[in-house]
């Protein structure tokens, strides 16, 4: 229901707002502390984004534009072919089935 989705959105907004406040008050934190805070926010936001997308009629594990494996950078998602979850170059070749990019002058 839209009420549930609204509640999830507010929960997500609160998590992001708290993280931004933490960042403002901890400019000299160690890298590990920033990474821990990022994981906390991702732990709240990723499931909510997934639920909202599924409620909108999207297939699990695929984004609206047809990104195989979900959106780039999502934990455990493949994102764009060859990008890997972190966006790192994995050396994978583009699929012969996928779209081709041609240079246009």
């Amino acid at each position: 229901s839209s009420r549930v989705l609204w509640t999830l959105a507010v929960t997500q907004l609160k998590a992001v707002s708290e993280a931004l406040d933490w960042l403002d008050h901890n400019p000299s934190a160690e890298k590990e502390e920033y990474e821990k805070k990022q994981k906390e926010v991702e732990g709240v936001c990723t499931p909510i984004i997934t639920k909202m997308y599924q409620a909108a009629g999207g297939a699990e594990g695929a984004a609206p534009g047809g990104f195989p494996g979900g959106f780039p950078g999502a934990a455990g998602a493949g994102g764009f072919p060859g990008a890997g979850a972190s966006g790192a170059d994995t050396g994978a070749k583009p699929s012969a089935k996928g779209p081709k990019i041609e240079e246009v002058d």
Side-chain angles (χ1 to χ4, degrees), residues 81 93-100:
K93 302 291 183 221
S95 170
K97 298 177 189 173
K100 304 281 187 268

Side-chain angles (χ1 to χ4, degrees), residues 22 30-43:
W22 181 88
E30 297 292 323
K31 177 184 175 192
E32 292 78 17
E33 293 174 283
Y34 286 116
E35 290 172 346
K36 181 181 176 190
K37 187 58 67 175
Q38 178 182 357
K39 294 292 181 190
E40 289 174 12
V41 173
E42 289 174 351

Side-chain angles (χ1 to χ4, degrees), residues 52-98:
M52 293 176 97
Y53 178 69
Q54 289 172 345
E60 183 175 346
F67 300 138
F71 60 94
F80 291 104
S86 65
D89 183 10
T90 62
K93 302 291 183 221
S95 170
K97 298 177 189 173

